[in-house]
Amino acid sequence: MKNKFVDYLNSLNNVSACNENAYAESNYSNEYYKYVEVKRGIGKHIIKILENEEPCIIILTGHAGDGKTSLLFQVMHELGCIEDNNLKMTDEVTLPSGKQCYYVKDFSEISEKLDKMKDMLSYVENGKFVFLVANTGPLINSFVDVMPEENRDEAHRLIIDLIDANKGKIENILGYKICSINVATVDNTGFVREFINKITNDKLWEDCNMCEKKDNCFIYNNVELIRKNKNQVSDFLSNHYLWQQEHDKKLTIRQIAAHLSFMISGARSCDNIKLNDDKYKYLFSNLLFGYEGYSLSIAASRLKAIEEIKNNKYDIKKTFVDEKLFINNDFKDLTEDIREYFKYEGKKNGYNLDWQKSIKRAYLLMNIETDKEKKELLQKNIFSKWFTRYKELIKGESVIANDEKLIIDALWMLFVGNLSNDKEIPITMKREKGVMQNVQITIATLSKKSIRLKTCDEISLKVDMIDENYKGIYIYIHGKKVDTHISLPLFNYFEDIRKGIISTNIDPKLSRGLDAIKAQILKYALEDIDREDYEISIYSDEEIEFIIDKIDNILTIN
Amino acid sequence: MNTYPKNVKVDENNNKNIYKGIYGHRFHKDQTFYEYLIEFLLIFVSAKNNRNENEMEFHTLVEDGKKLEYYVKPRMGLRRFIFFERGMQSKNIPEDREAYEELCNILKEKIDGISDKDLFLEKIQDLLHGYAAVIKNRRWCEQMLLPVCPELVFCEAMPDDKKRINNFKSEDKKTSGNKMKIVDSFEFKKHNFLARGGEVYYLHILQELEKREDKYRIELEGKLKHFLCNDSKKISSIANWIQDNWDLSCSDRDDKIVKLAMGYIPSDAYKESAKYTVDELNTFLSNQLTPMNRIELLACGINLQIMRMMSEATHKYMNKGKNCWIVDISKEKEMRKIAVANFDENIDMFMEAINKEYENYMNENDINDRMEEIKLYNDGRKHIIDNFKARGKELKVIIPSNGKYERFSLSEDVVKFLVLSIIEPNSKMTLDKFLEEIYNHYGFVIGPNEFAKCNKMDISLKNYFLKNKEAFREFIKNIGFLKDLSDATALVENPYQEVENL
């Protein structure tokens, strides 16, 4: 008995986006699409604009595979504007409100872009909506080129700012009402939970019940295991994809769908299953990391998402459960189904590192730990000490003293190079690199009391649900905002320097952020100096400090 | 030759510079990395007349036939305090040490509130010496500090050995007047280290500022003043305390103001890039950076701009179009070959220009001394070609630092300067536009579009440039200036805030 849904899943991880069911393209016309479609908050937001606002151009951009076409489909389908589940390259449809909407499925494939851009601008002037799915490059160039020569530089700047700001609101750009949404920068981790729910839905696996190979089928077994450990699997994967996002390695919807479908089937079809197969042969926790048992899967190596998860080396990170699992061989915290399997594997192949890694992967996805503190500790072990707290902060929890303590300690390390209990952080004229300076002069001081960490509303769209945007985390000095957002890598870097782990070789990407933070803090600290009365502090490596009270003809030291 | 300022003549004595017609007066191989910045800032901070006026301003009156002057304060007391113990000393002139000790004693008398004044002075020396820019094996008075505040922007000073020895030999050398002459005998106008490269750069800027509105000049002056003074007032006050007390210790003290006069630049040699240089400087100074970071980066930027000037003047002289520097980022074999060939073309152009000027000079002048002929010829190689390469290698704009296959490349600091000087603070532009800008500004060729523009489009090479562009995209992303917008479009972003309240 063959379950056609397995073939559909395999078409999602069949690497090339040109295959028949690459998640978007012709995918929505596939019979299974309605079962796996994840409706996105941004689609609902666009529908609201089409229903309630004055005609404008809605621009939808994003990376290839981010789900732009699916969003267009979602919107048009929900508004009842398409027939036969088919989107045309361009079409003019009538919205439920009676207004006209002209959509373009892919602006890059339009041959006469300038003419089309002119047309679209005129449509809006004539009271029609335009819904434009576009690659950013051709879009920017065409928009700029249809503007009068003298406005082109400004048009270039404005359209870039609009797309980059990604506010999702209608704005006036040189007289044209445009709403730009860039899905490339929007958190798509919410997709994971729903997609896992959908692809493991009983209905899609009903055919397997009649299959004689069912009890020996690793695909069916994987689906069963994922269903049983759904929360754990979804939590781990959402965290992982968020980690990727925060480290500038965001995966697209297409890459995530390929990853998750590969996790189940390992790119194998029902025909590959034998009657006497071991159902644990390709355990989903191994497939997710690109392994078939202990060996690396060749098919998996073509998937970007698997390359990324392997790079993170989660399965060799030290955790608090290592001793319990690997020394005591105590598997009570693993889901029951796989305990015996790992015992057997250890006996058969040896209790080696490959075995440990395989257990670790299984533990991350199928542990039954319920203690909240232990769950958090595992997240800290795997992702980083500040990962959980960072998530809480961006989701709106209030800053507490411990968060601010991290910032204060980090600023001590950044400006001085060691920690102290003093109330004031001295800011010096330290050289950036290469030269020994054993004596420093303090050009300003920063009182610990003046340093605050705050969360504030982000203007640009960060999450799929428009109404529940993430917060941005910022340092404030004397009530003035330091403009660089404190990202997760910065939190982790601050923790490292506080522990004295990193002294040189900082990731240049972080150093840009740090330079900007230091410069702005110095500015605020200098502004706070009382010009009439300021002392000069000079101190050396040997902890000798001189405080000059006054300099005129006589230099007075306090 | 037309000069800027107009009709200025240079008195060369025995030191002929036959290439001034191409590059102006002058570039010199002994001028080191920071000394271009220091010399430029020295002119800027100095008074522009003997009434001590127009410090921290650009010259506004440029007259025909008149060299532009600036009046520097040597601050030899301060420099003796900072460098004497740590630099090379003239061992057979004990008066130098006596003066140093006298200065320390004077300062100790002017300190109140502690008992261990020696320790305090030692720490102040350590503090100031920590900003050393050029030490090498130079004598104490020839050493230089980074321009952390106006008082530490030193002019060049060499001990005037002639005067010193004459006074030393004199019978009554122990009279206080003669002793002071020994102590204060310095030559300030040799231009060995501050060898006028900073002057050439200053004139290049001034030439463009003449075309701009006063408002623009005043804004730039404000930014340079902020660059030098904003964060370092405390260091200034310590430096002034040292020098003022030295000056006050003796009313005859000879730390007089010294008048220096600039040479000229050929009026057309640097015209094309002048608008870029001024705008880049203005934009760069608008960034809110930490003090030491901005000094390092500006030094880097000025060296890069000076390379551009040398290249532009060469192309102009040879009647060639815009220069084109093919940058190897991908480090792939084919790309390296293309870049090496391009680098050789650039150097050949320098050689041709120098040969041509040398021949012109030889045809017009009767030189019978073979040694002088060789020296004149070699000067061109040393001061122009070797100097151009030395600037480039220090910036890592020319790689490798040793050995063959020399070619243009880009380093992290250079890219940082390019971003901060071309893109306004807190602004962005597409990667394609940025590549176009750095081509327009410097002739850097990275991607296929720019390669096509430099009139050499060989379609078979397009792929190498695409890979090269991709490698640049990765590079600039890794150093934190690139933001992926979506699909193939990326933005180059200047993440720094703008300096306010100037």
Side-chain angles (χ1 to χ4, degrees):
Chain A
M1 178 74 200
K2 193 172 162 75
N3 184 345
K4 281 189 190 160
F5 183 62
V6 175
D7 293 337
Y8 176 74
L9 277 185
N10 284 333
S11 74
L12 297 183
N13 63 51
N14 191 6
V15 189
S16 161
C18 313
N19 76 75
E20 67 177 293
N21 285 324
Y23 186 66
E25 306 313 328
S26 59
N27 188 11
Y28 42 76
S29 54
N30 186 293
E31 60 174 311
Y32 287 110
Y33 185 73
K34 62 177 181 288
Y35 295 103
V36 301
E37 183 191 11
V38 174
K39 296 225 164 111
R40 304 183 64 191
I42 284 175
K44 290 170 192 157
H45 177 66
I46 294 170
I47 290 171
K48 261 192 210 169
I49 294 175
L50 291 172
E51 282 177 341
N52 305 324
E53 302 290 343
E54 288 300 308
C56 62
I57 301 182
I58 300 169
I59 296 171
L60 188 63
T61 65
H63 294 306
D66 264 330
K68 303 183 291 282
T69 320
S70 304
L71 268 168
L72 173 64
F73 177 80
Q74 179 188 331
V75 170
M76 288 301 145
H77 190 254
E78 281 191 30
L79 291 173
C81 297
I82 45 175
E83 291 161 15
D84 309 329
N85 283 352
N86 255 332
L87 286 171
K88 294 178 185 156
M89 182 47 76
T90 63
D91 198 7
E92 189 168 325
V93 295
T94 307
L95 299 170
S97 61
K99 287 189 176 140
Q100 295 298 108
C101 175
Y102 179 81
Y103 73 73
V104 178
K105 193 171 79 167
D106 186 351
F107 188 59
S108 328
E109 289 184 17
I110 302 281
S111 51
E112 299 295 329
K113 291 189 176 59
L114 284 190
D115 292 342
K116 187 60 77 183
M117 181 57 79
K118 276 182 201 158
D119 290 347
M120 288 188 294
L121 294 175
S122 71
Y123 291 161
V124 177
E125 281 170 350
N126 295 327
K128 292 178 192 170
F129 280 98
V130 172
F131 188 173
L132 174 62
V133 177
N135 284 345
T136 334
L139 171 78
I140 294 172
N141 293 340
S142 316
F143 183 77
V144 171
D145 289 346
V146 296
M147 293 297 146
E149 180 85 40
E150 64 274 17
N151 287 352
R152 284 188 189 162
D153 279 348
E154 200 190 354
H156 186 260
R157 190 177 56 76
L158 289 174
I159 191 80
I160 282 177
D161 282 349
L162 179 81
I163 298 170
D164 185 46
N166 199 23
K167 294 180 191 166
K169 290 181 180 158
I170 301 167
E171 293 185 53
N172 194 322
I173 303 292
L174 296 171
Y176 298 100
K177 286 183 184 167
I178 305 178
C179 165
S180 169
I181 296 173
N182 179 8
V183 277
T185 58
V186 172
D187 180 359
N188 55 18
T189 58
F191 170 84
V192 177
R193 198 171 299 271
E194 274 201 63
F195 190 67
I196 289 176
N197 269 334
K198 297 206 166 189
I199 57 176
T200 55
N201 187 321
D202 287 346
K203 197 168 168 45
L204 293 168
W205 300 94
E206 272 172 358
D207 288 352
C208 296
N209 290 327
M210 289 172 279
C211 178
E212 55 181 347
K213 296 185 277 185
K214 181 182 158 193
D215 294 336
N216 298 71
C217 175
F218 81 89
I219 298 176
Y220 190 74
N221 187 42
N222 280 341
V223 174
E224 289 273 278
L225 285 172
I226 293 168
R227 269 190 210 138
K228 281 188 192 166
N229 297 280
K230 202 175 276 172
N231 282 339
Q232 185 58 30
V233 173
S234 300
D235 287 349
F236 173 77
L237 283 169
S238 304
N239 286 337
H240 161 64
Y241 294 128
L242 182 65
W243 175 268
Q244 293 294 122
Q245 251 167 242
E246 290 293 330
H247 288 80
D248 215 6
K249 297 173 193 165
K250 183 172 176 261
L251 293 160
T252 63
I253 295 278
R254 184 185 294 158
Q255 287 164 336
I256 293 175
H259 195 194
L260 299 182
S261 61
F262 185 85
M263 163 177 87
I264 292 177
S265 70
R268 284 176 173 79
S269 71
C270 297
D271 300 336
N272 297 112
I273 311 294
K274 308 267 179 328
L275 252 178
N276 56 354
D277 266 355
D278 174 2
K279 67 173 179 177
Y280 292 111
K281 189 174 173 185
Y282 302 128
L283 196 59
F284 84 92
S285 54
N286 286 331
L287 288 173
L288 183 80
F289 289 81
Y291 285 89
E292 294 175 347
Y294 294 173
S295 320
L296 284 171
S297 151
I298 295 165
S301 63
R302 295 171 304 169
L303 296 179
K304 172 85 175 156
I306 287 189
E307 188 190 315
E308 291 293 340
I309 200 167
K310 275 200 296 207
N311 287 341
N312 291 354
K313 299 191 166 90
Y314 297 128
D315 51 1
I316 52 168
K317 288 203 172 165
K318 278 190 185 154
T319 68
F320 74 99
V321 291
D322 290 5
E323 190 181 335
K324 196 172 179 182
L325 292 173
F326 308 135
I327 309 288
N328 306 333
N329 290 353
D330 175 354
F331 300 148
K332 277 198 289 265
D333 293 338
L334 279 174
T335 187
E336 203 177 345
D337 313 65
I338 54 170
R339 290 178 201 159
E340 288 309 313
Y341 165 72
F342 280 115
K343 279 182 193 162
Y344 169 76
E345 277 290 300
K347 269 187 208 154
K348 193 174 90 181
N349 297 322
Y351 303 97
N352 53 23
L353 183 64
D354 285 338
W355 174 75
Q356 291 185 0
K357 282 164 68 181
S358 178
I359 294 177
K360 181 69 74 60
R361 296 191 284 262
Y363 185 83
L364 294 175
L365 295 153
M366 290 180 277
N367 72 70
I368 52 169
E369 183 62 69
T370 49
D371 184 290
K372 196 180 165 226
E373 277 180 24
K374 283 190 180 164
K375 279 170 111 57
E376 274 186 21
L377 185 57
L378 183 68
Q379 272 191 23
K380 282 181 186 174
N381 290 160
I382 293 294
F383 294 104
S384 64
K385 184 174 173 187
W386 283 88
F387 182 72
T388 313
R389 184 65 193 143
Y390 178 79
K391 277 199 309 180
E392 289 166 356
L393 289 172
I394 59 173
K395 287 181 181 169
E397 276 200 22
S398 307
V399 171
I400 57 170
N402 195 37
D403 306 327
E404 280 178 347
K405 174 93 173 42
L406 173 75
I407 304 301
I408 292 167
D409 286 351
L411 292 179
W412 264 104
M413 293 302 290
L414 285 174
F415 284 116
V416 187
N418 51 41
L419 292 178
S420 160
N421 287 323
D422 288 356
K423 288 179 183 159
E424 310 246 298
I425 302 174
I427 301 178
T428 62
M429 289 269 280
K430 209 163 129 192
R431 292 177 80 159
E432 298 289 314
K433 51 192 170 189
V435 183
M436 270 290 292
Q437 283 177 291
N438 52 8
V439 177
Q440 293 292 346
I441 185 166
T442 303
I443 50 170
T445 55
L446 192 61
S447 76
K448 283 184 183 175
K449 278 194 296 189
S450 69
I451 304 168
R452 286 274 172 274
L453 189 71
K454 292 185 186 176
T455 56
C456 31
D457 291 334
E458 284 283 20
I459 298 165
S460 61
L461 284 178
K462 298 285 178 194
V463 284
D464 193 38
M465 300 305 295
I466 300 289
D467 304 328
E468 297 167 20
N469 209 8
Y470 284 159
K471 300 277 182 189
I473 309 169
Y474 294 90
I475 298 174
Y476 280 72
I477 305 290
H478 298 297
K480 292 177 225 169
K481 184 178 175 186
V482 177
D483 293 291
T484 308
H485 158 68
I486 309 297
S487 62
L488 177 62
L490 265 179
F491 264 96
N492 290 333
Y493 177 75
F494 286 166
E495 179 63 30
D496 282 348
I497 52 167
R498 158 153 96 171
K499 285 190 200 142
I501 291 175
I502 296 171
S503 55
T504 52
N505 271 347
I506 172 181
D507 176 355
K509 263 193 234 171
L510 284 187
S511 81
R512 287 299 87 77
L514 284 175
D515 285 350
I517 290 173
K518 278 159 75 179
Q520 219 177 347
I521 288 181
L522 172 61
K523 179 187 162 213
Y524 292 154
L526 282 168
E527 282 170 3
D528 191 52
I529 290 176
D530 180 351
R531 298 280 168 189
E532 295 303 305
D533 176 32
Y534 73 95
E535 57 187 25
I536 304 175
S537 167
I538 290 164
Y539 63 93
S540 77
D541 285 357
E542 307 112 328
E543 296 189 3
I544 300 168
E545 188 175 2
F546 296 101
I547 296 175
I548 302 171
D549 254 357
K550 201 174 156 195
I551 301 190
D552 36 41
N553 181 278
I554 303 284
L555 182 150
T556 313
I557 296 173
N558 186 345
Chain B
M1 176 192 50
N2 294 324
T3 63
Y4 175 81
K6 273 185 195 161
N7 304 320
V8 165
K9 297 256 178 319
V10 176
D11 175 20
E12 289 172 338
N13 300 328
N14 296 325
N15 216 348
K16 282 199 182 76
N17 170 11
I18 65 169
Y19 305 102
K20 58 184 180 293
I22 312 178
Y23 304 100
H25 193 63
R26 68 185 173 167
F27 291 120
H28 192 280
K29 72 166 181 48
D30 285 342
Q31 189 150 10
T32 60
F33 186 77
Y34 289 112
E35 282 169 322
Y36 290 96
L37 169 67
I38 292 169
E39 193 177 24
F40 164 66
L41 290 175
L42 176 71
I43 306 166
F44 178 73
V45 300
S46 297
K48 306 298 181 288
N49 59 35
N50 56 7
R51 296 180 302 281
N52 214 14
E53 288 170 341
N54 311 108
E55 288 181 348
M56 305 267 187
E57 288 174 18
F58 286 100
H59 288 81
T60 44
L61 189 62
V62 183
E63 294 174 279
D64 276 15
K66 242 184 135 181
K67 289 179 189 169
L68 290 175
E69 293 167 348
Y70 57 109
Y71 294 73
V72 301
K73 293 176 184 162
R75 294 194 176 89
M76 295 313 297
L78 176 60
R79 295 161 78 167
R80 190 181 293 274
F81 176 77
I82 301 169
F83 297 120
F84 184 75
E85 282 286 31
R86 296 152 202 252
M88 262 169 51
Q89 301 156 8
S90 309
K91 289 219 167 81
N92 50 2
I93 304 186
E95 283 79 358
D96 262 344
R97 174 157 292 280
E98 285 167 23
Y100 169 71
E101 283 166 3
E102 186 193 339
L103 168 61
C104 291
N105 287 331
I106 292 166
L107 294 177
K108 278 192 261 181
E109 279 173 26
K110 302 291 181 182
I111 300 171
D112 218 5
I114 45 161
S115 52
D116 196 347
K117 297 177 181 176
D118 286 318
L119 180 69
F120 174 72
L121 289 182
E122 188 192 314
K123 295 300 162 200
I124 296 286
Q125 273 174 346
D126 282 349
L127 169 72
L128 296 173
H129 200 269
Y131 297 112
V134 190
I135 302 293
K136 292 193 163 175
N137 51 358
R138 291 193 189 171
R139 288 172 289 192
W140 66 268
C141 51
E142 296 161 350
Q143 300 187 347
M144 292 282 171
L145 295 183
L146 292 177
V148 288
C149 65
E151 291 77 9
L152 299 187
V153 182
F154 295 138
C155 63
E156 179 179 293
M158 330 273 294
D160 188 342
D161 288 341
K162 241 189 217 167
K163 259 194 201 170
R164 291 181 145 217
I165 288 163
N166 286 341
N167 285 311
F168 196 55
K169 279 181 187 161
S170 148
E171 282 299 308
D172 53 356
K173 63 170 178 151
K174 284 181 182 157
T175 64
S176 66
N178 264 345
K179 200 170 156 184
M180 204 170 284
K181 276 185 194 163
I182 296 172
V183 169
D184 290 337
S185 290
F186 297 97
E187 174 58 66
F188 298 108
K189 300 181 179 180
K190 290 253 184 205
H191 293 288
N192 281 349
F193 301 125
L194 295 190
R196 297 188 185 275
E199 288 183 0
V200 169
Y201 180 74
Y202 180 92
L203 290 169
H204 171 54
I205 288 193
L206 199 64
Q207 191 181 19
E208 174 67 18
L209 284 180
E210 277 193 343
K211 294 184 199 160
R212 310 266 175 127
E213 288 179 13
D214 285 353
K215 203 173 80 181
Y216 188 93
R217 190 195 71 245
I218 292 164
E219 183 189 323
L220 188 59
E221 288 168 346
K223 287 180 182 174
L224 276 166
K225 196 171 169 188
H226 178 273
F227 172 90
L228 278 160
C229 308
N230 191 56
D231 310 322
S232 55
K233 294 195 175 69
K234 294 179 178 184
I235 298 181
S236 285
S237 58
I238 293 173
N240 284 327
W241 172 73
I242 296 166
Q243 182 62 39
D244 291 351
N245 276 307
W246 178 242
D247 290 344
L248 286 170
S249 67
C250 177
S251 55
D252 299 335
R253 184 105 270 149
D254 203 11
D255 200 65
K256 62 185 178 202
I257 288 175
V258 177
K259 179 174 93 175
L260 295 175
M262 280 182 257
Y264 60 78
I265 53 175
S267 60
D268 286 340
Y270 307 124
K271 257 184 165 169
E272 304 296 321
S273 64
K275 60 180 183 296
Y276 293 132
T277 303
V278 169
D279 286 339
E280 284 158 10
L281 184 64
N282 196 359
T283 305
F284 175 79
L285 292 170
S286 306
N287 290 285
Q288 186 81 50
L289 297 168
T290 52
M292 303 313 294
N293 198 353
R294 66 178 178 234
I295 291 173
E296 298 282 350
L297 275 177
L298 184 57
C300 163
I302 287 183
N303 275 269
L304 183 69
Q305 291 171 329
I306 280 174
M307 286 179 72
R308 172 173 64 192
M309 291 169 72
M310 289 173 155
S311 185
E312 183 188 354
T314 308
H315 279 71
K316 178 83 67 184
Y317 181 70
M318 297 302 292
N319 276 328
K320 302 283 178 184
K322 186 179 169 56
N323 71 304
C324 146
W325 296 348
I326 296 183
V327 176
D328 174 21
I329 308 276
S330 72
K331 310 277 190 294
E332 283 197 358
K333 200 173 160 194
E334 282 306 319
M335 194 61 223
R336 190 177 73 180
K337 269 191 200 167
I338 298 167
V340 168
N342 166 263
F343 182 80
D344 290 346
E345 273 175 34
N346 273 279
I347 296 300
D348 287 349
M349 179 92 75
F350 274 111
M351 283 301 298
E352 282 173 39
I354 281 165
N355 287 341
K356 188 174 161 191
E357 188 68 354
Y358 173 78
E359 277 164 24
N360 288 345
Y361 184 82
M362 286 301 157
N363 291 339
E364 286 166 18
N365 294 274
D366 196 13
I367 306 260
N368 296 320
D369 183 347
R370 179 70 187 146
M371 290 308 282
E372 193 187 347
E373 277 181 31
I374 294 172
K375 183 188 172 298
L376 289 175
Y377 181 73
N378 282 346
D379 275 353
R381 293 196 67 132
K382 262 190 331 198
H383 300 309
I384 305 301
I385 301 179
D386 293 352
N387 196 0
F388 177 80
K389 285 192 188 179
R391 301 298 100 239
K393 291 188 176 186
E394 204 144 3
L395 293 169
K396 297 193 182 72
V397 164
I398 298 172
I399 55 166
S401 53
N402 289 308
K404 50 188 182 176
Y405 305 124
E406 287 174 314
R407 59 207 188 271
F408 292 107
S409 189
L410 286 172
S411 64
E412 183 179 334
D413 279 351
V414 169
V415 172
K416 190 169 175 181
F417 177 77
L418 292 174
V419 173
L420 269 59
S421 60
I422 290 177
I423 305 177
E424 297 287 336
N426 215 359
S427 306
K428 43 197 124 22
M429 60 174 67
T430 57
L431 178 64
D432 285 341
K433 174 99 175 137
F434 182 68
L435 291 177
E436 187 186 326
E437 289 290 333
I438 63 173
Y439 173 75
N440 292 339
H441 283 233
Y442 290 91
F444 282 129
V445 172
I446 294 176
N449 291 350
E450 289 68 42
F451 185 52
K453 274 186 212 160
C454 81
N455 206 13
K456 298 183 179 186
M457 194 47 173
D458 176 346
I459 204 81
S460 67
L461 301 180
K462 191 176 173 186
N463 268 345
Y464 302 122
F465 282 89
L466 278 171
K467 281 188 192 165
N468 203 41
K469 180 181 161 185
E470 205 41 49
F472 180 72
R473 179 190 171 112
E474 200 54 31
F475 176 62
I476 195 168
K477 184 172 183 180
N478 284 336
I479 58 173
F481 289 115
L482 194 89
K483 192 171 175 184
D484 278 317
L485 196 55
S486 70
D487 40 74
T489 311
L491 298 180
V492 182
E493 184 177 37
N494 176 353
Y496 295 92
Q497 297 300 310
E498 187 169 2
V499 171
E500 292 161 13
N501 307 324
L502 293 177

